[in-house]
Amino acid sequence: MLDEKTIRNMISAAIGQLAFSYTPYSYFKVGAALLAENGEIYTGCNIENAAYAPTNCAERTAFFKAVSEGVKDFQAICIVGGKDGVLTEYTPPCGVCRQVMMEFCRPDTFQIILAVSQEEYEVFSLKELMPMGFGPGNLL
């Protein structure tokens, strides 16, 4: 379980990413902060594309940044988002992002923090948000 200080740092880092979000089509900005087992935080924002399919979510941006630097063990991710960057409700990860999490995280212990502010957030396990998820263990 993460301590309050770590959660607040992650929320702050995720909110900071909203400034870099590229959303000329949906105007729905998302920021993410991914905590690796080594204590490093990898951030990401969503990056849209006119062709839609090449659009990349904030969560995957953070994961791909970390993996491209050789990091593959993670503890938690914080996700924030809202229209024009205004945080009014929780922004859960899409199905594709949940599948990426299944590739690199332990469903029982990996924590997903959904936040609207430093004071208003909820923490879920990956297993709660993706019951019966398909991951590397299914291929053994």
Side-chain angles (χ1 to χ4, degrees):
M1 198 62 157
L2 298 174
D3 61 65
E4 192 70 27
K5 181 180 178 189
T6 301
I7 290 172
R8 288 183 185 274
N9 286 343
M10 292 178 68
I11 292 170
S12 180
I15 290 172
Q17 283 297 294
L18 295 172
F20 303 113
S21 182
Y22 177 74
T23 58
Y25 309 106
S26 74
Y27 305 103
F28 195 93
K29 297 178 178 299
V30 181
L34 175 64
L35 179 63
E37 289 286 349
N38 66 10
E40 289 287 321
I41 292 179
Y42 294 86
T43 57
C45 63
N46 56 329
I47 304 164
E48 293 182 347
N49 188 286
Y52 295 116
T55 293
N56 203 54
C57 296
E59 302 92 303
R60 283 183 282 141
T61 299
F63 270 96
F64 297 162
K65 243 193 222 182
V67 172
S68 73
E69 294 181 22
V71 177
K72 296 181 188 134
D73 298 307
F74 306 101
Q75 295 181 51
I77 192 166
C78 177
I79 308 162
V80 299
K83 196 72 160 178
D84 295 317
V86 178
L87 308 181
T88 57
E89 60 185 60
Y90 296 134
T91 304
C94 75
V96 174
C97 288
R98 293 176 200 206
Q99 187 61 49
V100 169
M101 291 175 197
M102 285 295 299
E103 184 69 22
F104 295 103
C105 306
R106 293 179 299 282
D108 292 333
T109 60
F110 184 74
Q111 297 176 55
I112 300 169
I113 304 158
L114 304 179
V116 174
S117 69
Q118 293 280 342
E119 297 77 31
E120 189 179 346
Y121 64 86
E122 289 192 43
V123 181
F124 301 89
S125 71
L126 176 55
K127 187 170 186 166
E128 287 177 296
L129 295 187
M130 189 143 171
M132 296 184 67
F134 185 86
N138 294 97
L139 299 176
L140 299 177

